[in-house]
Amino acid sequence: MHLVGTIRPKPYLPVSSIVDLKLGLKESVAVFNHIDKVNVVYKKVKPSKHVAVLTTLHNTFTYVENTKTEAHMFYNASKGGVDAFDMMCAASATNRKTRRWPMVVFYGLLNLVMNNAWIIYSSRDGHSHRNRIDFTTAMAFAMVKPYAVHRYETHHHYLSWNLKSLLKTMYIGQGDAVEPLPALMSTKKRQRCYL
């Protein structure tokens, strides 16, 4: 498995020594770490801006097209798919604002899984009639159902009436709710969210 991508300036990258070289516009320089087989190609794209491409795939510094190196050409050829996938993830993002990094990783993985599942599902024969919103909604309900049923069955006496009614209507499928869901959601008094 290899990695090719841009990287922001980091303390462990020799950015200051690259700036001291006083590269001309569109010129590049490469820094090789042969022990770890990691290479960083710096290119001066503006008078005060360098772009660093980190690569584990390219071990030689060669110009392919004008001032573009092999690493830059590979990155430009493959970044369209990454950008398109990032746009898909942003369209149906599950992210919530949090300072807990495990939750950030979890939200990112959830976005990746949902979009990869949609790509696989829509590419199979006979599944093209379903749209993405219906698919992701069905997937979300399928993922939540075991937890919701367990919560309803084990903590039935501790749940609020609204939450019990909602769980029974949405996941259990037995009987009718005492009050329909839109009427429950249209109360004007501020309450704790039961959804």
Side-chain angles (χ1 to χ4, degrees):
M1 181 179 267
H2 289 282
L3 179 141
V4 178
T6 57
I7 187 168
R8 293 181 183 142
K10 302 287 182 188
Y12 48 84
L13 292 176
V15 179
S16 59
S17 60
I18 300 301
V19 173
D20 293 340
L21 288 175
K22 294 188 170 67
L23 293 173
L25 200 62
K26 305 285 184 184
E27 286 185 356
S28 301
V29 67
V31 179
F32 298 100
N33 182 343
H34 295 292
I35 297 168
D36 297 325
K37 296 181 180 172
V38 176
N39 309 318
V40 182
V41 181
Y42 292 92
K43 183 174 183 177
K44 191 171 187 177
V45 292
K46 290 182 182 175
S48 62
K49 183 180 179 186
H50 293 82
V51 173
V53 176
L54 181 79
T55 176
T56 60
L57 186 63
H58 308 95
N59 296 319
T60 57
F61 182 76
T62 53
Y63 285 110
V64 177
E65 181 182 301
N66 298 332
T67 59
K68 293 181 181 173
T69 64
E70 189 179 0
H72 286 99
M73 293 294 289
F74 185 87
Y75 174 72
N76 289 339
S78 58
K79 74 177 178 182
V82 174
D83 289 344
F85 189 77
D86 286 344
M87 285 176 61
M88 284 180 67
C89 287
S92 63
T94 58
N95 299 14
R96 298 292 176 268
K97 190 173 181 180
T98 180
R99 292 182 180 182
R100 295 164 52 201
W101 69 265
M103 292 303 295
V104 173
V105 171
F106 173 72
Y107 291 141
L109 287 174
L110 200 57
N111 287 337
L112 293 173
V113 167
M114 286 178 62
N115 286 291
N116 283 333
W118 166 247
I119 291 168
I120 293 169
Y121 178 82
S122 61
S123 66
R124 296 182 64 186
D125 294 334
H127 291 70
S128 59
H129 65 277
R130 195 172 195 179
N131 67 13
R132 187 171 164 193
I133 295 171
D134 292 341
F135 174 79
T136 53
T137 304
M139 185 175 169
F141 274 103
M143 288 170 61
V144 171
K145 186 174 181 175
Y147 172 72
V149 170
H150 173 74
R151 188 174 179 194
Y152 181 82
E153 290 173 350
T154 56
H155 304 293
H156 185 74
H157 302 293
Y158 304 109
L159 300 177
S160 68
W161 179 84
N162 292 340
L163 185 56
K164 278 194 278 191
S165 177
L166 182 68
L167 290 175
K168 193 172 185 181
T169 305
M170 300 296 285
Y171 296 107
I172 309 302
Q174 306 168 3
D176 297 324
V178 180
E179 196 174 343
L181 188 61
L184 288 174
M185 295 176 72
S186 65
T187 54
K188 292 182 181 175
K189 185 182 174 187
R190 242 179 131 167
Q191 297 178 350
R192 183 170 178 242
C193 178
Y194 60 89
L195 298 176

